[in-house]
Amino acid sequence: MLPRFWRKIKYRYDLVGSYCENCQSFFYPPRNLCPHCRRRSKIKEVPFNGKGKVLSYTVVHDAPEEYKDEKPYVIALIELENGVKVLSQLVCDPKEVEIGMEVKKAFRKYGEDGASGIIYYGTKFVPASHF
Amino acid sequence: MKVGIVSYGTYIPIYRIKVEEIARVWGESAEAIKSGLGIYQKSVPDVDEDTATISVEAAREAVYRANIDPKDIGAIYVGSESHPYAVKPTATIVGEALGVGNDFFSADLEFACKAGTAGMQMCIGFVKSGMIRYGLAIGADTSQSKPGDALEYSAAAGGAAFVIGKDPIAVIEETYSFTSDTPDFWRRELQPYPSHGGRFTGLPAYFRHVTSAARGLMEKTGLNAQDFDYAVFHQPNAKFPVRVAKMLGFTNEQIKPGLLVPYIGNTYSGSSILGLAAILDVAKPGDRILLVSFGSGAGSDAFSIIVTDTIENFERNPSVWDKIEKGVFIDYGMYLKHRGKIRM
């Protein structure tokens, strides 16, 4: 678990995705190869600005044990400004969320390996109206 | 060479709890506490927020407003007394989240509520010596308090980040520190909550160190209270900074824009520097600001800061007061859950 998380830190702490210079497509999580261009892929890593809007969402009431203290929580399908779609926790009151709502990235805790294990951090989203 | 604040960013968690709600649970008089401490409510972190997340959010705002390449940051210091790890620096998490790369000086600092200003002094030294181009100094806390203790009315969460470098929006013309071994507040290894010396935190601790640092700075610079347009002092409650301002010859008008504690509580390492950020939000070119932090144990860092013309083209919205006014109120049960005080 620890090395697996560590290898992806860069892409979880911030929205660092990939971009194909050949067909101008963006990907997140980043891809090593463009599925459209294949051998003509020209992939490079780029940071995304982290602004987007809610395409759809669901509210989780029956949460796994480690997320019990956050329920009910919102999982949203978010479309970023560059067209990339990201599935993420949206930290807000479930009564607040609606389709089309503007959101922005936020740096939050994902969880931890118990009281003596490591803490997992990463990107979630919050309503754009939250400062 | 003019070195100072190139940019700043702040973060205050959105949740608040009122003094009435805490007093209701512990059978105390909210009115007596409000008039005694001058605090009406305090900020509370979300269940997935801690000092690292607050530091990253404040630092992201500072770097965005500075419009600099994060790779030009050569030092990151995070001051806090609630670092998420006892061993493993918060600064490493901040550096990674900002995309600073691996080429930077770094450490976590701890000096009760003044670790953030200690980081600013270190960055000033690095920039002046030419060892780095920009330094990032952060003060942030999710401060701890034992349920039922007087500290529970004030211990809050928040932080501020400052990019230190050349061509600043505010020049740091001088800094001075006053330090002594004064055990007014402490937390022993493996203890979840701090202990304090009650009234001992006042005269021999807060007032002695804040006045000595401020007077030391004024002696060094030849300035007096009337030379400053604004002043901000560490804010463990609203009474102490108001009284110390009076002792040093400052008026209520000079400290008002930076006095945040009645509405967000004591954000510890973020306290005096969030107040400084609120003053920078409204300051005009030429304004001179006195900043004096205080860290129990004990010490104070004093700074004389002059705002430059560069601030006029600097993005200052959303302001600190905008963030303070955004609160969502929670009850004591939710507060306990947010602070991880419920044993499962």
Side-chain angles (χ1 to χ4, degrees), chain A residues 9-10 13-14 69-71 89 91 105-109 117-119 121 124 129-131, chain B residues 11 14 46-50 52-53 56-57 60 84-85 93 96-97 318 322-323 326 337:
Chain A
I9 270 181
K10 185 177 181 183
Y13 280 15
D14 204 353
D69 57 352
E70 295 189 46
K71 77 175 189 184
Q89 186 181 344
V91 186
K105 71 178 179 185
F107 188 76
R108 297 282 179 131
K109 255 170 84 168
I118 69 155
I119 304 168
Y121 293 98
K124 295 183 183 179
S129 58
H130 290 199
F131 294 142
Chain B
Y11 186 79
I14 201 163
D46 206 339
V47 288
D48 58 356
E49 289 184 306
D50 62 17
T53 66
V56 168
E57 290 293 333
R60 274 186 178 160
Y85 288 95
I93 299 164
E96 190 70 53
D322 288 338
K323 294 174 187 178
K326 265 273 179 212
K337 193 169 97 168

Side-chain angles (χ1 to χ4, degrees), chain B residues 90-104:
Chain B
T90 310
T92 59
I93 299 164
V94 174
E96 190 70 53
L98 293 181
V100 170
N102 306 105
D103 178 15
F104 62 101

